[in-house]
Amino acid sequence: MERSVFNQLTAAAENREGMREIEKIKENYKKEIEKAVHVLIDKCRKKNVQMSDEELDKEFDKMWSETLEKLSFSEPKTSSVFTNVSHCLRLNLSHRGSHACELLSQKSLQDCGKEPFKYKPEGNYKKGLKQSQMMFFVFGSLKELADSIIDACTQFVSETVKRKNNYTDTYIQEILHIIDEKLQNNQDVKTDTKFEVSLKQHICGFAAREFQKMHEDFIQANDPYRCLMKNKEKFHDDFIDAFHERDQCQKKAEEFTNQCLKPAVEDFISWFLGPDITGEMLTCEQFSTRMSFQYSVLRDLLSKDDFENYVSYIDSYEKYIKSWILNKIVEHFSTGSVSEFEDRHLQSCIRSINDAINKAKRGETDDMKTFVEDICKELGDKLVISQDALGAFMMLNNADKKQFADWLTVSVNEMEQDLRKEFKNVSFEMKLQHLHVQPLNELFNRLVGCANSVHSAKLPVMQEE
């Protein structure tokens, strides 16, 4: 657990460090656009003629093009994830000696992981057994072990990619640790250097391919030029409102709520829902202890008395157990009891937001920017507000502090009702897919742990039955 937490913190710190420079560039570009818009407003007003929206649109587009030409945009650069992964893999296998190094050199990592994993053991088989019989047991054990390791690593890759962060070597190091740990825990299955190298090449190949795409998507999504262009229409609308001196209070309150607060609340609930579901399942007798869990699994297996289930349990124990746990989670929460957790966290967020608004109201300054910053600072320990969304919201914001605060309270109450409706319209299975902490993994790790030791201990229980 300590290693896992340390790796997550390291990855988060490296990603944060990389984002600092990007955010600084974005902020500078935003300031240049905002300055240009203010100059354009003054220029249009000095004409002392009534300008139509069409004329204002043309002036804005002209200003936009001229400002972008002055800004120095550089083409976003991507790194070769395959190169980094290959380096980490060689370091990981360095203790295996020259044979492992030679095996690694025989195949490019870019060509690995494209097809299902296949491995043919070499060497002589034990005398007294037919070769075909020995091959059956060797292939079966190795295949089960390889499938188990590949499933665990595929799941880690999938969960990592869903976070949409930039690539860091910490991710591939975690994958290599998962492989080493599972090989260490299954020493009864005889493996050799060739098997370990082939398996690690296969897993690192498909992982590097997914991480390369994740890295490129991250670079594109955070490209300062693309971010500016994405917000062009919003800058335009704010320019029109500012030129006509329209009251922005209600509009800005709704914008701040929907673009800044709502995503942060949804993310907060998603973070805490996983541990809530895990804790609820642990109160059930079936999940209370490892012994109760194993007993429940075996009793269910015997009561159904289905041949395919027996084959699945024996051939792919880990996969069977995870499927069984998932079915029990879905069955337990099919009544909609998860909404109680959602509602509790939603109410907690709304209280914190309203408290932050009221505290910021009591501030001495009437400056709108300071007012919003005070709200965000007060919520900082609980809600993570997107800096991109906040920066776009603050553009040309001339709303009155008091009126904005009143409209913001109204918008937050509306957001609470909207989120309740949205939660009801999303199936429990869909909610599970988007949780940051997966109850399935938590329960499996707590109640199964080393699958090898549990698997070897199951026969006495079956004999008692």
Side-chain angles (χ1 to χ4, degrees):
M1 185 181 291
E2 181 182 1
R3 176 194 53 76
S4 178
V5 170
F6 178 79
N7 284 343
Q8 290 182 56
L9 290 172
T10 302
E14 288 176 356
N15 277 314
R16 187 75 204 105
E17 188 65 30
M19 282 299 295
R20 280 180 181 168
E21 187 61 29
I22 295 175
E23 287 175 356
K24 185 179 178 181
I25 295 171
K26 287 180 183 178
E27 181 64 21
N28 289 336
Y29 288 167
K30 183 181 77 69
K31 286 179 179 177
E32 289 298 318
I33 292 287
E34 192 167 15
K35 185 166 68 173
V37 170
H38 282 299
V39 171
L40 178 60
I41 291 173
D42 291 339
K43 175 186 169 184
C44 292
R45 284 178 178 164
K46 286 177 181 177
K47 290 184 178 181
N48 292 322
V49 294
Q50 185 67 35
M51 295 183 68
S52 66
D53 285 346
E54 185 177 341
E55 290 173 320
L56 290 173
D57 291 344
K58 287 181 180 179
E59 290 289 342
F60 178 84
D61 287 337
K62 181 182 175 184
M63 174 278 300
W64 184 269
S65 299
E66 290 174 351
T67 306
L68 291 190
E69 285 179 8
K70 295 175 185 176
L71 298 175
S72 56
F73 292 103
S74 57
E75 190 68 24
K77 296 179 181 178
T78 57
S79 305
S80 172
V81 173
F82 277 98
T83 301
N84 289 36
V85 172
S86 294
H87 178 69
C88 291
L89 180 57
R90 286 188 176 276
L91 283 178
N92 176 264
L93 288 168
S94 58
H95 71 285
R96 284 296 205 172
S98 59
H99 182 45
C101 184
E102 183 183 342
L103 290 170
L104 281 173
S105 302
Q106 290 175 4
K107 194 173 183 181
S108 171
L109 193 63
Q110 280 91 335
D111 299 326
C112 300
K114 292 181 177 180
E115 303 291 336
F117 180 71
K118 293 178 182 178
Y119 176 75
K120 184 177 180 180
E122 298 176 341
N124 297 323
Y125 297 103
K126 185 179 177 181
K127 294 180 180 180
L129 280 175
K130 291 182 180 179
Q131 183 171 332
S132 60
Q133 289 177 314
M134 179 58 79
M135 286 179 69
F136 172 80
F137 289 114
V138 171
F139 285 160
S141 299
L142 285 175
K143 183 180 183 304
E144 183 179 348
L145 176 59
D147 287 347
S148 171
I149 295 174
I150 291 170
D151 285 346
C153 293
T154 302
Q155 185 176 325
F156 175 83
V157 171
S158 177
E159 291 174 359
T160 302
V161 168
K162 277 196 298 188
R163 298 190 188 109
K164 298 180 179 180
N165 287 326
N166 200 3
Y167 170 76
T168 166
D169 286 341
T170 308
Y171 297 144
I172 205 67
Q173 288 164 1
E174 179 71 13
I175 286 174
L176 290 169
H177 182 86
I178 291 171
I179 300 171
D180 290 336
E181 191 173 46
K182 285 189 172 288
L183 289 174
Q184 180 68 27
N185 290 337
N186 289 273
Q187 293 188 30
D188 56 317
V189 179
K190 300 303 178 184
T191 62
D192 55 17
T193 300
K194 184 179 178 183
F195 174 81
E196 182 179 343
V197 172
S198 298
L199 182 61
K200 287 182 176 178
Q201 277 186 314
H202 174 82
I203 292 172
C204 288
F206 77 72
R209 204 165 288 110
E210 292 295 318
F211 289 154
Q212 183 72 53
K213 185 177 183 305
M214 177 184 76
H215 166 65
E216 291 170 0
D217 289 346
F218 177 86
I219 295 298
Q220 290 293 323
N222 289 280
D223 175 23
Y225 176 77
R226 286 175 177 268
C227 291
L228 267 184
M229 294 305 295
K230 187 172 67 174
N231 286 314
K232 180 183 176 182
E233 186 176 346
K234 186 192 171 304
F235 293 149
H236 167 268
D237 293 344
D238 287 344
F239 159 69
I240 298 295
D241 286 343
F243 177 79
H244 291 299
E245 297 182 330
R246 292 170 181 163
D247 184 5
Q248 290 184 304
C249 294
Q250 182 177 359
K251 178 184 172 183
K252 284 294 184 180
E254 291 173 353
E255 182 184 327
F256 182 64
T257 301
N258 294 325
Q259 302 300 321
C260 300
L261 296 179
K262 188 178 179 182
V265 171
E266 290 173 323
D267 197 52
F268 176 87
I269 294 173
S270 181
W271 267 108
F272 282 89
L273 207 54
D276 287 337
I277 293 171
T278 303
E280 174 69 15
M281 293 305 296
L282 288 172
T283 63
C284 303
E285 177 62 29
Q286 299 164 306
F287 294 89
S288 57
T289 64
R290 289 192 174 192
M291 185 177 292
S292 295
F293 175 75
Q294 289 297 321
Y295 177 82
S296 300
V297 171
L298 293 172
R299 189 172 186 84
D300 181 65
L301 188 67
L302 289 169
S303 65
K304 289 177 180 175
D305 199 26
D306 180 80
F307 178 75
E308 293 297 330
N309 283 347
Y310 285 123
V311 172
S312 176
Y313 180 80
I314 295 168
D315 188 45
S316 305
Y317 174 72
E318 192 169 313
K319 187 180 292 184
Y320 180 88
I321 292 296
K322 285 187 174 182
S323 176
W324 192 88
I325 293 174
L326 180 60
N327 289 335
K328 291 299 176 184
I329 293 173
V330 174
E331 180 184 311
H332 183 84
F333 286 95
S334 60
T335 57
S337 53
V338 72
S339 60
E340 296 176 12
F341 298 131
E342 290 172 331
D343 197 59
R344 186 173 73 228
H345 292 307
L346 179 57
Q347 288 182 29
S348 172
C349 288
I350 298 302
R351 278 197 301 271
S352 296
I353 293 171
N354 285 329
D355 288 345
I357 294 171
N358 291 329
K359 185 174 180 179
K361 274 183 181 179
R362 295 192 291 271
E364 296 179 358
T365 179
D366 289 328
D367 179 59
M368 184 65 188
K369 183 179 180 181
T370 305
F371 177 70
V372 173
E373 287 175 348
D374 287 345
I375 293 176
C376 294
K377 184 179 178 181
E378 190 66 24
L379 294 172
D381 291 338
K382 190 163 191 170
L383 300 180
V384 181
I385 295 174
S386 165
Q387 292 303 301
D388 278 351
L390 186 61
F393 161 77
M394 293 305 297
M395 276 287 294
L396 302 173
N397 197 334
N398 62 357
D400 176 75
K401 169 186 166 181
K402 185 178 183 310
Q403 290 184 46
F404 172 79
D406 293 339
W407 279 113
L408 183 57
T409 303
V410 173
S411 294
V412 168
N413 291 335
E414 290 175 352
M415 176 190 73
E416 180 181 8
Q417 301 308 317
D418 291 342
L419 283 174
R420 281 203 176 93
K421 291 176 184 176
E422 290 176 20
F423 292 153
K424 286 181 181 178
N425 292 330
V426 178
S427 67
F428 178 70
E429 290 83 353
M430 187 63 69
K431 290 174 183 177
L432 276 178
Q433 292 179 22
H434 294 90
L435 296 180
H436 293 285
V437 178
Q438 288 294 327
L440 171 60
N441 297 341
E442 295 298 307
L443 290 169
F444 181 85
N445 292 335
R446 286 185 186 219
L447 298 169
V448 178
C450 172
N452 182 52
S453 60
V454 176
H455 203 189
S456 62
K458 71 185 176 232
L459 286 176
V461 183
M462 291 188 72
Q463 290 168 356
E464 288 177 15
E465 285 291 323

